[in-house]
Amino acid sequence: MQQLGDERVLFAFARDLEPALTVASGETVRIRTQDCFGNQVQTPEDQLDEIDWDAINPATGPVYVEGAVPGGALKVKIESIELDAQTASCTGKDEGVCGDRFDAWSTHLCAVEDGKLVWNEKLSIPLNPMIGVIGVAPEGEPVNCGTPGSHGGNMDNTAITAGATLYFPVAVEGALFGCGDMHAAMGDGEISVSGAEVAGWATVTLTALPDLRLTDPLIENDTHFGVIASAETLDAAADRAVHEMVDLLHDRTGTSEDELVMLLSLVADVQVCQMVDPEKTVRFMVPKYVLDALGFAL
């Protein structure tokens, strides 16, 4: 298995970046990632006003995947996520949902111990290791790692955990994959503007699917299959995700659109990923037992 350290990072997904690593289609690679602060917040004395904000939201990469071609897709299986022992969270003036309440930055450090996140001596939180920034190079201008889009990016999706598989539309040769911004725990919405930000290792299997045409990222796990969409508002992101799912199921199963819409209204869920980035992100998740009954196959 190849391994990629966090000395090669990108701060924007872009089509003209030199690959940090080249892998064959179907190859598994272990990737070291920095936290969203570029590992600059390690003690209570580390002030956010004093860190290098040009080094925020690094993603390790890019990784060139042989066989990935424009117009195709990249399949990314999350094999495992390994967390470092300390996390950092923050909120502050004009940040997140409640930024109007504050005049300055606040931070909170937590330890990762015995499968839990220790908030304080009275409260420990179950871990939900996830990858916040993950994606490929976009077709047009570079997209900074703080912004999500059809290429992936800063989707902050709590379903991107070990065992999940993502599918990204490919816009450039080799896809130019990158990931970072892991969280030890995060609630849907990420209301403070951060999760439990943590460095660590992601082990992923990267497979080129040159014949799969996509508009936005897809995600699947053992029980559900979904579309991930980002837009200026949550309403617009939700509309986009739902319409794309209806189109996909109609095209692949031949089920009429009206029947699909009525069925999805009974069984599928619009779930908020994050509501604090320049574009907001949702996922529209359909149970796999429904897809099996429809005869759906990607």
Side-chain angles (χ1 to χ4, degrees), residues 184-214:
M186 191 193 88
D188 286 338
E190 197 186 28
I191 65 161
S192 83
V193 85
S194 79
E197 308 292 338
V198 66
W201 291 90
T203 300
V204 298
T205 300
L206 305 173
T207 304
L209 300 176
D211 298 323
L212 180 60
R213 304 291 184 260
L214 299 177

Side-chain angles (χ1 to χ4, degrees), residues 43-105:
T43 73
E45 290 70 43
D46 293 327
Q47 299 297 313
L48 289 183
D49 286 331
E50 299 173 1
I51 68 174
D52 179 4
W53 282 90
D54 290 331
I56 292 299
N57 271 326
T60 304
V63 178
Y64 185 103
V65 183
E66 295 174 344
V69 296
L74 181 69
K75 177 181 178 181
V76 181
K77 173 69 181 297
I78 313 296
E79 305 289 356
S80 67
I81 297 173
E82 306 163 59
L83 305 176
D84 282 10
Q86 179 175 273
T87 73
S89 301
C90 73
T91 196
K93 183 179 179 180
D94 299 328
E95 298 292 338
V97 176
C98 298
D100 58 315
R101 295 171 175 258
F102 309 118
D103 294 321
W105 284 106

Side-chain angles (χ1 to χ4, degrees), residues 172-194:
V172 302
E173 294 285 341
L176 300 182
F177 170 82
C179 66
D181 183 35
M182 289 184 180
H183 304 146
M186 191 193 88
D188 286 338
E190 197 186 28
I191 65 161
S192 83
V193 85
S194 79

Side-chain angles (χ1 to χ4, degrees), residues 147-149 229-238 240 274-282:
T147 301
S230 299
E232 185 175 355
T233 67
L234 285 174
D235 283 352
R240 180 175 176 131
Q274 59 77 26
M275 54 193 296
V276 294
D277 293 335
E279 299 273 296
K280 319 309 177 190
T281 308
V282 306

Side-chain angles (χ1 to χ4, degrees), residues 134-165:
I134 186 168
V136 296
E139 181 177 9
E141 293 298 312
V143 180
N144 72 73
C145 288
T147 301
S150 59
H151 69 293
N154 194 23
M155 299 182 291
D156 285 322
N157 183 338
T158 58
I160 301 177
T161 59
T165 298

Side-chain angles (χ1 to χ4, degrees), residues 23-34:
V23 300
S25 178
E27 189 170 346
T28 300
V29 58
R30 187 168 180 252
I31 300 173
R32 176 70 180 173
T33 67
Q34 301 176 25

Side-chain angles (χ1 to χ4, degrees), residues 235-279:
D235 283 352
D239 286 352
R240 180 175 176 131
V242 170
H243 279 286
E244 285 185 29
M245 181 64 78
V246 172
D247 289 341
L248 182 62
L249 297 185
H250 175 66
D251 291 343
R252 295 302 177 100
T253 70
T255 308
S256 67
E257 294 180 353
D258 58 342
E259 183 175 346
L260 283 171
V261 169
M262 289 185 289
L263 175 60
L264 293 175
S265 190
L266 303 184
V267 300
D269 293 310
V270 174
Q271 300 171 345
V272 174
C273 296
Q274 59 77 26
M275 54 193 296
V276 294
D277 293 335
E279 299 273 296

